[in-house]
Amino acid sequence: RRTVMPETIRLKLGEGITWMRILRARWCIVAYSNIQQSCLSVHDLSANAKCREVFYLPGPVLAGIMDGSRSNLRLALTIGTS
């Protein structure tokens, strides 16, 4: 049997991470926020964590759930207000 060693990938993000999920060992969705806004980035772990999409939100991401299929990802996020 061959042992597979875990791989470490580092992402350089601009703010503090407030929410993160990994789906199907391929997609890493990260929300990094300050008190006024959030940036939600979608990273493809099968492509060396390449950022595929970035979304800007009008408040900090406080919580969320995620699911998906082969062709899409669905998110439900709680976004704080000031």
Side-chain angles (χ1 to χ4, degrees):
R1 247 166 68 168
R2 192 177 94 175
T3 303
V4 177
M5 297 301 292
E7 182 178 340
T8 300
I9 298 172
R10 298 195 187 276
L11 301 175
K12 195 164 193 123
L13 303 173
E15 303 285 341
I17 295 173
T18 56
W19 184 82
M20 183 186 80
R21 292 292 181 273
I22 296 175
L23 182 66
R24 299 188 191 284
R26 177 174 179 188
W27 300 106
C28 179
I29 291 66
V30 180
Y32 44 102
S33 309
N34 60 33
I35 60 170
Q36 297 175 348
Q37 64 184 1
S38 290
C39 183
L40 189 76
S41 58
V42 179
H43 299 269
D44 186 349
L45 299 177
S46 70
N48 222 12
K50 181 175 181 172
C51 185
R52 298 293 185 185
E53 289 286 339
V54 176
F55 302 93
Y56 296 93
L57 305 169
V61 173
L62 304 175
I65 57 172
M66 179 175 74
D67 72 350
S69 66
R70 286 185 168 271
S71 62
N72 63 46
L73 300 172
R74 288 183 297 248
L75 303 169
L77 302 171
T78 302
I79 299 173
T81 59
S82 54

